[in-house]
Amino acid sequence: MKSLKQAVLAIGVLAGGMTFAQSSDMNNMLKVGVNGGVSTGGNTSANVGLDVSYQNLVTPGFGLGIATGYNHFFGKSATINNVKVDNNDFGVVPVAALFRIYPQQYGFYLGADLGYGFIVGDDNVTDNAVYNAKRPDGGFYLKPEIGYHNKDWNFFAHYTKVFTGDKGQVADQKFNAGSIGVGVSYNIPLGK
């Protein structure tokens, strides 16, 4: 019964999002923005990034598109088995599908980017010869967000994560390509 209630709620939110109108002259748009956040643990401390995406409003309240960009993760110093190591910085280049639900023409929205995150940068996790591992090449990319939008701007909070399993783990330190943060993007209309 709980699953049925959740399914009905999800369908209701999606249907509600599809019935309200965004601006009718902005069915296609390019979104360019910046984001930043604090790490969710492991070998990184924070990240900053650039977001670029294309969105098509399938209905006035539901958008689909593609997203990419670059997120730079800052490595932090750590002590592993009483040895100080410096974790290397790295970047994430996502290639993702974009989903957005707009319950009203202006105001609250929610969405997610789902795809693959390519991890780029130094081949090693740390600068230490003894406590080290090869950096993962990438993994499943997830970026849910919730925010406020108007015709020109989107202001949002997000969780960003590239799932790498146990790849890149150094002793008991897990490899982390994840953060919680905020961002802003600008909508460039491309017409209907």
Side-chain angles (χ1 to χ4, degrees):
M1 190 65 162
K2 185 177 178 183
S3 300
L4 180 60
K5 288 180 184 178
Q6 290 173 340
V8 169
L9 177 63
I11 291 170
V13 168
L14 183 60
M18 291 182 180
T19 59
F20 291 98
Q22 275 241 8
S23 177
S24 62
D25 62 345
M26 283 186 55
N27 287 352
N28 294 292
M29 66 190 79
L30 185 66
K31 297 172 174 273
V32 178
V34 295
N35 72 75
V38 295
S39 174
T40 54
N43 56 308
T44 57
S45 59
N47 84 297
V48 294
L50 171 68
D51 301 317
V52 179
S53 60
Y54 164 78
Q55 176 183 288
N56 174 265
L57 287 173
V58 178
T59 69
F62 182 67
L64 290 175
I66 55 174
T68 190
Y70 177 79
N71 276 290
H72 187 84
F73 285 82
F74 298 96
K76 68 179 180 182
S77 296
T79 302
I80 300 174
N81 297 330
N82 296 320
V83 176
K84 185 180 179 209
V85 299
D86 289 321
N87 287 289
N88 293 319
D89 293 3
F90 61 90
V92 172
V93 178
V95 177
L98 171 145
F99 307 91
R100 297 291 184 271
I101 297 173
Y102 302 98
Q104 299 176 4
Q105 184 173 0
Y106 301 118
F108 161 82
Y109 80 93
L110 58 93
D113 299 349
L114 304 169
Y116 190 85
F118 294 93
I119 299 176
V120 297
D122 197 303
D123 287 338
N124 296 313
V125 175
T126 76
D127 67 350
N128 188 287
V130 176
Y131 292 105
N132 210 345
K134 291 292 183 190
R135 168 190 49 79
D137 293 329
F140 177 72
Y141 174 81
L142 171 68
K143 183 184 174 192
E145 65 182 57
I146 184 169
Y148 170 83
H149 75 100
N150 60 30
K151 181 178 178 184
D152 297 319
W153 295 96
N154 303 284
F155 303 93
F156 58 89
H158 68 91
Y159 168 74
T160 300
K161 178 73 175 173
V162 177
F163 294 89
T164 60
D166 61 358
K167 294 177 184 170
Q169 185 165 335
V170 177
D172 61 349
Q173 173 188 269
K174 294 193 179 290
F175 185 83
N176 178 50
S179 66
I180 297 172
V182 295
V184 60
S185 62
Y186 183 72
N187 299 327
I188 303 169
L190 299 176
K192 292 186 178 186

